[in-house]
Amino acid sequence: MTLISERDSARILEVLDDGSTRVVGTVEGVAGAGEGGLLGLAVDDEQRLYVYSTAADGNRIQRFILTGTAGGRALGEAETLLDGIPSANVHDGGRLAFGPDGMLYATTGDAGRRDAAQDRGSLAGKILRMTPDGEVPDDNPFPGSLTYSYGHRNPQGLTWSDDGTLFATEFGQNTWDELNIITPGANYGWPAVEGVAGEDGFTDPVQQWDPGAASPSGMTYLEGTLYIANLRGQVLRTVPTADPGRSVDYFTRDYGRLRDVTTGPDGDLWILTSNTDGRGNPSDKDDRLLRLPVQAP
C-alpha cells in the first residue's frame, strides 16, 4: 500500500499497481497556508493511518482506520492524538515515522518562534516520541514529556539504520542545513548555534551543507546507505552510515525539487518531486512519483 499526502488539497491518494492514483479521502479541518497543510503520513502494524496536518488552532496528529482493501481504501473517522503543536506559514516540521521500538516519532518546527526550540515545555522545535495512542512512553528522556530531542529549527526526514541509530535531516536558516544523529534528550542548538559549533551542551551534526545545495527533506535507509531528497539542491544525496560525514550526489537537477524518498514495495527507490509548490519550475509532468534504481555511494 502506497499513500501520498497533498499539502494544499488535504487529499490522501492511493497509488495503484499501474501507476495511477485514486483519492482515499480528504482530511477535514486542514487550514494550511505556506508550508502548513496536510503533511506527514505513517501506517502502523495494524494498518492504521497516522496523519500530521495544520488546523486553525495549530498542527495536530490524528489517527484513522483504513477501510477497504488495496485499490479501494477509504478513511474512517479521525481520532486526534495530539493537537496544539505550534504552527505558522513556515517551519511546521510534519514528518511522522514509526521506529524499530514501535513508537511514533514526529518532527515539529519552531513555527518562527526561535526560542521555543530551547524550551522543553513547548512542542515547537522538537522531535517527539509517543506511543501509538499518543501517550508519553515511560522511557522518554524527560519524565512526562513527549520531547525526545530539542533545539531544532525545522527537522524533516527521519530514518533508522540496522543498528537502531536514528538519523534526522534539518533545514537550517542561511548558513547550514544538517544531518544529525539523534540521541535521547540531546540539544541540537537552535537558535544558539547552526551547524557544527563545537560548543559544550550542544550536539553537532555529522554533516552539514550550504542551504542552496541542499534543503534536505525526506530520507530513507537501505543496506547501509541513507538516501536524502533535497529541495533547493534538487539532488538525491547518498550518505553511508558507516561514514556519515561523506556523501555522493545523484540525479542533480534532473527532476527538479525532491520532497521525499522511500523504498518502494519493489525494492526500488520511490521519489516525490515538489515543483508545483510555488518554489519550483514545473513541467507539464509535475508533480511526479518517480521509481528509480537504487544508487549507492
Side-chain angles (χ1 to χ4, degrees):
M1 176 176 57
T2 300
L3 301 176
I4 296 174
S5 63
E6 289 185 334
R7 185 180 70 190
D8 295 338
S9 73
R11 299 191 309 172
I12 295 174
L13 307 179
E14 181 180 10
V15 180
L16 305 180
D17 290 343
D18 63 0
S20 63
T21 61
R22 58 174 295 276
V23 178
V24 172
T26 300
V27 177
E28 298 295 328
V30 174
E35 296 174 4
L38 179 59
L39 301 174
L41 305 178
V43 177
D44 68 11
D45 291 339
E46 299 180 33
Q47 298 297 291
R48 297 177 297 183
L49 177 65
Y50 296 73
V51 176
Y52 187 115
S53 66
T54 307
D57 58 351
N59 291 315
R60 61 191 178 177
I61 299 172
Q62 295 175 295
R63 182 170 64 190
F64 297 81
I65 298 296
L66 284 171
T67 63
T69 57
R73 300 287 186 184
L75 289 181
E77 290 190 10
E79 176 186 3
T80 299
L81 303 181
L82 179 66
D83 57 13
I85 302 169
S87 63
N89 285 350
V90 294
H91 309 176
D92 286 288
R95 200 73 57 171
L96 296 177
F98 277 95
D101 55 5
M103 298 297 162
L104 179 64
Y105 292 72
T107 71
T108 70
D110 70 4
R113 309 170 194 181
R114 296 160 56 104
D115 292 342
Q118 288 294 319
D119 178 2
R120 296 206 307 263
S122 169
L123 294 174
K126 308 295 187 296
I127 293 176
L128 307 178
R129 178 178 181 259
M130 65 194 75
T131 71
D133 293 326
E135 302 297 329
V136 177
D138 291 338
D139 58 349
N140 265 12
F142 307 110
S145 173
L146 294 173
T147 295
Y148 191 70
S149 63
Y150 65 107
H152 297 287
R153 179 178 181 269
N154 195 10
Q156 292 292 310
L158 292 174
T159 196
W160 288 260
S161 59
D162 289 331
D163 65 1
T165 300
L166 172 57
F167 291 86
T169 58
E170 183 160 342
F171 294 155
Q173 184 157 316
N174 299 315
T175 306
W176 297 115
D177 289 338
E178 299 177 356
L179 174 65
N180 286 298
I181 290 176
I182 303 300
T183 56
N187 182 349
Y188 290 82
W190 177 257
V193 299
E194 183 179 352
V196 176
E199 293 191 16
D200 290 343
F202 300 134
T203 299
D204 284 339
V206 293
Q207 192 167 170
Q208 61 186 19
W209 307 280
D210 181 283
S215 295
S217 187
M219 174 173 56
T220 195
Y221 169 83
L222 181 64
E223 296 178 354
T225 300
L226 302 173
Y227 296 87
I228 304 170
N230 288 266
L231 291 162
R232 289 180 64 188
Q234 300 182 32
V235 64
L236 180 69
R237 183 158 288 138
T238 61
V239 175
T241 55
D243 185 10
R246 184 167 66 90
S247 60
V248 178
D249 295 349
Y250 294 91
F251 310 120
T252 304
R253 303 194 179 278
D254 289 347
Y255 304 106
R257 292 161 54 83
L258 305 182
R259 173 68 64 178
D260 203 1
V261 57
T262 190
T263 305
D266 54 7
D268 283 341
L269 293 175
W270 288 28
I271 301 172
L272 277 177
T273 69
S274 188
N275 294 311
T276 61
D277 62 354
R279 296 177 176 178
N281 296 301
S283 73
D284 57 3
K285 296 180 179 179
D286 283 312
D287 274 318
R288 293 178 281 176
L289 173 63
L290 306 171
R291 187 177 71 183
L292 299 168
V294 172
Q295 304 287 322

